[in-house]
Amino acid sequence: MRNVNQETVTQVFLDYCGPETPPRLRFLLEHLVRHLHDFVRETGLTHDEWRTAIELLTETGEITDAERNEFVLFSDVLGLSSLVDMINSRPDATSSSVLGPFHILGAPELAFGGDLRRDNDGATVIVSGQVRGADGAPLPGAAIELWQTADNGLYSNQDPSQPEYNLRARLAVNDDGRYAVTTVRPAPYTVPDDGPVGKLLHATGRHPWRPSHLHFIVSAPGHRTLVTELFPHDDPYLDEDAVFGVRDDLIMHYEEQDGSRPPPVGLEAGDRLTSPYYTVDFDFVLAAEA
Ligand code: BEZ
Ligand code: FE
């Protein structure tokens, strides 16, 4: 079409997509371009505003490398990553939550009841629970990956003073689908705000804090892999997570133990536990693969 105008440009774009366009790609493009064009028409976007947006995207590309993906961070602080999580979460399973940029492959295996705390500072926490299917049956074939910040609010791959793979492990589950690990209580921390995402946060009066959390990837044969996080009920940032990751069913309690009850049996750190320490009991429910 030659005389394209404000009203026809969206349909003209769609007509340009040839018959070889895969149906799902056509469907996604149709919706994406419809919403983009509506956005411009509804806001009356100016050239200056368009240029600012392009400059922000250019900066986002320039700061992105193998260690830092500013595009993902934009998706996170806009609520896009969490929205994708929410629409793909299954109501019969534990909610999923953002993966975040600090997961790395290759974390070492830790036996049931193993000690991840080792020489780390901070309050000692024993995290334990069970992995079950949505039908309630324990999943002894499950695998759990756990990663978290140290007491200083930094992940091992952000902090050269921490050993490689500090506070990261693949946890073994027992014959009853149960897991148990001794670790430290992580601290709240900020998402990186020294780049274009930070500019947006600062321009809109938003802080970059996330509530403290433990990250998990839980998988089992025949089940959908769950990427999620657990948050303590008393964290000051629970209601204002910069990346919208908190869900009611992901809130846990650190129960303070004063030594009047014996620690759970089978813990590698059993003899070294000094009071007070904390326990967290959390069960993961996985949806069956469709
Ligand atoms: C995190 O959980 O580590 C995280 C998630 C999203 C953006 C930045 C950090
Ligand atoms: Fe995190």
Side-chain angles (χ1 to χ4, degrees):
M1 148 117 32
R2 186 173 293 192
N3 187 24
V4 180
N5 64 36
Q6 284 186 36
E7 277 69 46
T8 57
V9 62
T10 309
Q11 190 56 48
V12 173
F13 167 83
L14 294 172
D15 293 344
Y16 282 176
C17 298
E20 65 274 51
T21 315
R24 178 67 180 169
L25 179 60
R26 177 185 293 276
F27 177 79
L28 293 175
L29 279 176
E30 177 177 346
H31 286 262
L32 176 69
V33 170
R34 234 183 250 298
H35 286 286
L36 268 180
H37 289 185
D38 280 345
F39 168 77
V40 173
R41 284 184 284 251
E42 287 166 17
T43 59
L45 198 74
T46 66
H47 281 108
D48 278 351
E49 290 161 343
W50 175 85
R51 198 170 301 107
T52 303
I54 296 293
E55 281 165 8
L56 200 68
L57 287 173
T58 306
E59 254 184 83
T60 301
E62 284 165 357
I63 205 171
T64 293
D65 60 19
E67 305 286 312
R68 170 175 186 165
N69 193 322
E70 196 80 357
F71 288 105
V72 175
L73 194 55
F74 252 122
S75 164
D76 294 341
V77 303
L78 290 173
L80 182 60
S81 313
S82 281
L83 189 54
V84 174
D85 270 344
M86 286 185 264
I87 67 161
N88 286 288
S89 235
R90 288 268 292 264
D92 57 350
T94 302
S95 294
S96 59
S97 186
V98 290
L99 174 70
F102 300 115
H103 174 255
I104 49 174
L105 296 171
E109 270 186 45
L110 194 67
F112 177 89
D115 181 12
L116 199 57
R117 179 197 166 104
R118 296 188 200 108
D119 298 328
N120 282 276
D121 290 333
T124 300
V125 187
I126 300 164
V127 188
S128 64
Q130 190 181 40
V131 185
R132 292 193 297 272
D135 59 359
L139 296 174
I144 303 181
E145 232 184 294
L146 164 64
W147 70 105
Q148 63 169 96
T149 58
D151 192 43
N152 63 0
L154 294 173
Y155 288 89
S156 60
N157 50 344
Q158 292 178 289
D159 179 4
S161 75
Q162 293 183 40
E164 198 187 9
Y165 294 118
N166 190 39
L167 297 171
R168 299 171 184 272
R170 284 180 292 135
L171 310 177
V173 303
N174 71 10
D175 291 345
D176 201 22
R178 297 198 65 83
Y179 71 96
V181 58
T182 304
T183 184
V184 290
R185 193 172 165 151
Y189 64 90
T190 62
V191 302
D193 66 340
D194 56 345
V197 166
K199 278 189 189 167
L200 178 78
L201 294 178
H202 299 142
T204 54
R206 280 177 59 182
H207 68 67
W209 286 91
R210 295 212 65 203
S212 68
H213 52 269
L214 299 166
H215 285 278
F216 293 90
I217 298 177
V218 187
S219 57
H223 291 77
R224 282 173 54 149
T225 296
L226 174 70
V227 177
T228 196
E229 315 173 88
L230 300 185
F231 306 90
H233 79 286
D234 56 355
D235 192 286
Y237 296 105
L238 207 55
D239 291 311
E240 41 187 290
D241 180 6
V243 302
F244 310 94
V246 180
R247 314 276 174 271
D248 271 346
D249 67 316
L250 302 180
I251 294 173
M252 44 76 163
H253 287 248
Y254 287 110
E255 303 286 354
E256 186 169 337
Q257 307 293 337
D258 58 9
S260 54
R261 278 203 285 158
V265 286
L267 286 183
E268 185 189 345
D271 295 342
R272 298 192 297 280
L273 278 180
T274 49
S275 297
Y277 61 90
Y278 297 83
T279 54
V280 170
D281 198 5
F282 195 90
D283 296 346
F284 296 101
V285 178
L286 301 188
E289 202 110 60

